[in-house]
Amino acid sequence: MKNIYKYLQQLVCITLLAVAPGLLAQESELQLLHVQGQVYMLSGADVNITVQVGPQGIVFVDSPDEETIPAMMELIRDISPLPVLYVFNTHLDEGHISGNAMLSSMGDRAGANVFGGGAPVTAISGSGGGVTMMAHENVLNRFYLTDHDIGRLDLTSTYFMDSKDVQLNGEAVVIYHMPNAHTDGDSIVHFRRSDVISAGDIFTPGRYPEIDIERGGSVQGVIEALNTMLAMIVPGPEAEGGTYVVPGHGRISDEIDVVEYRNMVYIVMQRVEALIEDGLGLREIVAARPTLDYDTEYGGYRGGPTSEEFITAIYTSLTTAE
Amino acid sequence: MQFHKLVKVLVCTTIALGTYSATAQEINFAGDWSGLFHEDGPERIPGPTLADYAGLPINEAARMRANSWDPNRISVVPELQCREHGADYSMRGLAHMRIERVIDPRSQQAIAFTTRMNFHNQTRTIWLDGREHPPADAPHTWAGFSTAHFENGMMVVHTTHQKQSYTRRNGLPASADREFWEYWYIHENILTVVTVVDDPVFYTEPLVRSQNWMLNPALRINHNNCEYVIETPVGDDGQIVPHYLPGENPFLQETAETYHLPYEGMQGGAETMYPEFREEMGQPLGDNRFCTLDCDAP
């Protein structure tokens, strides 16, 4: 009887231990998930990759590491045999641009839309495959000015205004600059007919936002960018569906997911701001645990910044703001 | 301690039922069911009071989240106005329910049940055809994704992929990582559903509750329309997301004071689920103005 009791106790423990962490575990298997319309999300790589597939070719938002690309293309080949047409980079993080060189060789419009003339430079190299590689001007500037450890960027084009639009695969695609958010070169990409927004690292459900102060990011910019996205999103009935959002990391989302995320960033920012006004320094603010109620949801279990890194970024944003 | 006993019973039951699964009989739940609210009526109708989390196995993160919640948020953040309940909460809420059985036209076998509740037209599909749950990064919905099988006179439902929502309508959160299991069974004209919700983000133990419905052929489920409106662009102090800073919510003790209850107990936690908590729950706040029975009892 005692043995059965012990056995049951062990079984209970094993069951509980097996269930709880499993809920937080992320699947690492590479999967191509249909989002809506012509847009898919590659899940299971280090970052999410947005893929648009249509009669002209394949469009990517961000590029995974080169080791992932063959497996990714194998999944995409199930739905399209066409060449790569266009690559948008949402920002300058190696995880989001490291496949640029490989993808740029997978087009079939050699020599098209290349400025830089195909010269063998590392930032604007000109796509040998005729693929347009697009990012905000600040991505290029950062690459030259501060990010000397990144080997290649392979852009063929940049934009420097608030937005730029282009027709791809029969739908309007608009890339918007989100100033001083995760970095100073962030973009979001709106596939208008498919009604999908690719958000890059401005929105990462389940992880605190990584605010890259060194590259011009700020908490105020993140909130502004999330509010801008919310203004663009039209929800479906009962606040579900409608415009979908592909985050830089995490699950496919819709308006309410962005709202909850924006609320979290805003509330924590206001708490840190109040503690600064009370005269506390950074170390004391971290010790006050202003993210306590968000840590079990966002605090690094799925990667991304720790609560201390998030608080530090907010503190720096607020104390260096003009 | 009670919880461990309960889990042991559940495990034993699960093991025992597993041996009968091959002979499990399908049950037809189709019909119109009126919700019965004799369990926890004040929580469900009209709804919980502020800062009342008693008897819920929440962690300190959930408690702090709820204590900083300002009801004005629903007015100022219009996107929150048309939310459905989460599937787990909807079984607890003001839930009259229509259940329909989906029959595969070729095999004439039941492949799913659909449920519909009138609050925000909440619909849900419970799949019986053995399909897999979606990948983790697939979109989450209010209803989540439910699969079920029959065991020893019960339908056992497993639901994942719910959106972040609430455990109670007083700001007590429920995460998008939660899963829940349901045990559906019928006695004559009464449907009982026992729910076991496991939220690794906000609970320290699973939350086990039961709900009942009565078969009511005269029931009608109405259509419900919702379109959000901006009621006020910002809240107090210009907040775009109304909330209370830690320690500044003036209403936290209101319920304890009104009903002469110990504040520590109202703040919830797994320990408040068990009778042993009475030994250590502290002194009640306020006077005894609403008491009508055993008012001098300790």
Side-chain angles (χ1 to χ4, degrees):
Chain A
M1 197 63 192
K2 210 170 182 179
N3 282 341
I4 292 175
Y5 181 73
K6 271 190 175 174
Y7 171 72
L8 278 174
Q9 271 191 327
Q10 286 171 350
L11 198 58
V12 169
C13 289
I14 290 167
T15 307
L16 291 175
L17 286 172
V19 169
L23 298 176
L24 292 175
Q26 290 291 289
E27 290 179 9
S28 57
E29 183 190 353
L30 214 56
Q31 293 173 308
L32 193 61
L33 306 176
H34 185 216
V35 181
Q36 190 160 254
Q38 300 188 111
V39 177
Y40 296 76
M41 180 180 99
L42 184 82
S43 155
D46 286 343
V47 302
N48 289 332
I49 306 298
T50 306
V51 184
Q52 184 220 35
V53 173
Q56 284 180 278
I58 302 164
V59 174
F60 290 95
V61 181
D62 291 332
S63 61
D65 60 84
E66 294 195 346
E67 290 72 36
T68 303
I69 288 178
M72 175 182 78
M73 292 309 295
E74 199 176 322
L75 291 171
I76 292 171
R77 287 302 171 225
D78 286 343
I79 53 174
S80 174
L82 297 175
V84 177
L85 185 65
Y86 219 99
V87 178
F88 297 97
N89 287 132
T90 57
H91 60 287
L92 186 65
D93 268 353
E94 269 202 289
H96 292 258
I97 62 162
S98 55
N100 277 9
M102 188 177 276
L103 289 182
S104 73
S105 68
M106 294 182 175
D108 69 350
R109 299 184 301 145
N113 196 26
V114 175
F115 70 82
V121 293
T122 53
I124 298 186
S125 65
S127 169
V131 179
T132 301
M133 315 290 288
M134 168 70 71
H136 188 264
E137 181 80 359
N138 285 351
V139 170
L140 187 63
N141 293 339
R142 284 279 162 201
F143 178 83
Y144 277 129
L145 296 174
T146 62
D147 287 271
H148 305 298
D149 54 333
I150 294 178
R152 297 185 62 165
L153 185 56
D154 292 272
L155 294 181
T156 66
S157 189
T158 61
Y159 72 105
F160 61 91
M161 301 295 280
D162 293 341
S163 66
K164 182 187 184 315
D165 50 42
V166 58
Q167 275 276 338
L168 295 169
N169 286 316
E171 73 174 307
V173 181
V174 188
I175 181 167
Y176 296 92
H177 181 219
M178 299 285 121
N180 304 103
H182 164 56
T183 68
D184 61 4
D186 294 318
S187 297
I188 64 172
V189 182
H190 189 188
F191 296 89
R192 292 210 318 202
R193 198 178 69 192
S194 296
D195 202 8
V196 175
I197 294 172
S198 183
D201 279 0
I202 290 167
F203 171 59
T204 54
R207 304 159 62 130
Y208 287 126
E210 187 174 343
I211 302 169
D212 193 338
I213 302 286
E214 295 295 316
R215 289 179 178 151
S218 70
V219 69
Q220 299 93 331
V222 169
I223 291 170
E224 188 62 34
L226 291 167
N227 285 335
T228 300
M229 261 200 290
L230 286 171
M232 295 165 63
I233 292 171
V234 180
E238 279 70 58
E240 185 175 278
T243 307
Y244 278 102
V245 180
V246 175
H249 305 264
R251 65 179 183 276
I252 298 168
S253 300
D254 59 17
E255 182 186 61
I256 207 76
D257 300 305
V258 180
V259 165
E260 295 286 2
Y261 192 80
R262 186 279 312 268
N263 292 355
M264 176 272 293
V265 179
Y266 179 82
I267 289 170
V268 175
M269 181 191 73
Q270 287 219 316
R271 288 176 183 169
V272 172
E273 195 170 27
L275 293 169
I276 291 171
E277 286 170 6
D278 287 346
L280 273 62
L282 175 59
R283 189 173 295 182
E284 295 164 299
I285 290 172
V286 170
R289 303 183 69 188
T291 58
L292 187 152
D293 51 341
Y294 292 103
D295 286 346
T296 52
E297 186 172 0
Y298 298 97
Y301 304 101
R302 303 170 177 85
T306 63
S307 56
E308 183 171 348
E309 290 166 339
F310 179 45
I311 294 166
T312 302
I314 293 174
Y315 178 87
T316 309
S317 298
L318 294 173
T319 53
T320 57
E322 290 178 6
Chain B
M1 291 308 104
Q2 297 282 10
F3 169 72
H4 292 289
K5 282 181 187 169
L6 172 66
V7 172
K8 282 170 200 165
V9 170
L10 281 177
V11 170
C12 292
T13 309
T14 306
I15 292 167
L17 293 180
T19 61
Y20 290 102
S21 59
T23 57
Q25 292 295 306
E26 189 177 307
I27 305 162
N28 185 3
F29 294 98
D32 294 308
W33 299 87
S34 289
L36 302 175
F37 304 111
H38 56 282
E39 288 182 273
D40 298 330
E43 177 197 342
R44 301 162 73 183
I45 306 172
T49 52
L50 290 172
D52 176 9
Y53 326 130
L56 298 172
I58 58 169
N59 61 17
E60 61 178 347
R63 187 177 299 113
M64 179 172 169
R65 187 88 69 98
N67 283 347
S68 70
W69 184 72
D70 182 341
N72 284 335
R73 194 176 301 174
I74 297 171
S75 297
V76 178
V77 183
E79 294 91 345
L80 298 174
Q81 291 171 5
C82 291
R83 286 179 297 174
E84 293 178 3
H85 293 321
D88 49 352
Y89 187 90
S90 74
M91 299 304 283
R92 191 69 177 166
L94 312 172
H96 299 310
M97 178 164 59
R98 180 197 303 148
I99 305 175
E100 294 176 281
R101 192 161 63 152
V102 181
I103 302 291
D104 175 59
R106 285 182 295 180
S107 68
Q108 287 299 300
Q109 299 297 305
I111 57 170
F113 285 109
T114 61
T115 67
R116 184 182 179 92
M117 297 171 178
N118 48 347
F119 180 73
H120 289 331
N121 309 315
Q122 175 138 25
T123 57
R124 184 179 172 206
T125 301
I126 299 169
W127 296 102
L128 298 166
D129 57 0
R131 68 182 61 197
E132 297 285 320
H133 283 240
D137 283 343
H140 286 36
T141 61
W142 303 116
F145 190 90
S146 300
T147 56
H149 64 278
F150 292 93
E151 280 185 11
N152 201 32
M154 296 188 293
M155 181 168 74
V156 181
V157 186
H158 177 214
T159 301
T160 60
H161 290 77
Q162 291 185 90
K163 283 187 174 300
Q164 60 273 50
S165 182
Y166 31 79
T167 295
R168 270 187 180 167
R169 284 179 285 143
N170 56 5
L172 200 62
S175 83
D177 289 318
R178 72 195 189 281
E179 299 186 30
F180 79 112
W181 291 262
E182 294 160 273
Y183 301 84
W184 294 45
Y185 51 94
I186 293 176
H187 287 296
E188 297 181 347
N189 64 341
I190 299 293
L191 166 65
T192 299
V193 179
V194 177
T195 56
V196 181
V197 186
D198 192 349
D199 189 337
V201 174
F202 292 123
Y203 296 167
T204 58
E205 296 178 12
L207 174 60
V208 183
R209 295 188 291 198
S210 60
Q211 295 79 214
N212 295 291
W213 287 260
M214 179 184 282
L215 192 61
N216 179 4
L219 179 70
R220 293 291 176 268
I221 304 286
N222 297 323
H223 190 76
N224 186 293
N225 287 320
C226 182
E227 184 175 325
Y228 67 70
V229 294
I230 295 174
E231 296 174 347
T232 174
V234 292
D236 298 338
D237 304 325
Q239 290 181 327
I240 62 168
V241 184
H243 65 100
Y244 290 107
L245 293 170
E248 294 191 8
N249 186 341
F251 303 111
L252 292 183
Q253 297 190 347
E254 185 182 70
T255 302
E257 285 174 351
T258 301
Y259 296 104
H260 195 54
L261 295 167
Y263 176 66
E264 292 75 12
M266 305 299 285
Q267 284 282 287
E271 65 276 13
T272 65
M273 297 195 296
Y274 303 119
E276 293 89 337
F277 182 71
R278 282 182 295 191
E279 305 296 326
E280 56 190 70
M281 65 182 182
Q283 293 301 309
L285 300 181
D287 56 35
N288 225 0
R289 77 190 99 155
F290 294 118
C291 181
T292 56
L293 186 68
D294 291 334
C295 299
D296 296 325

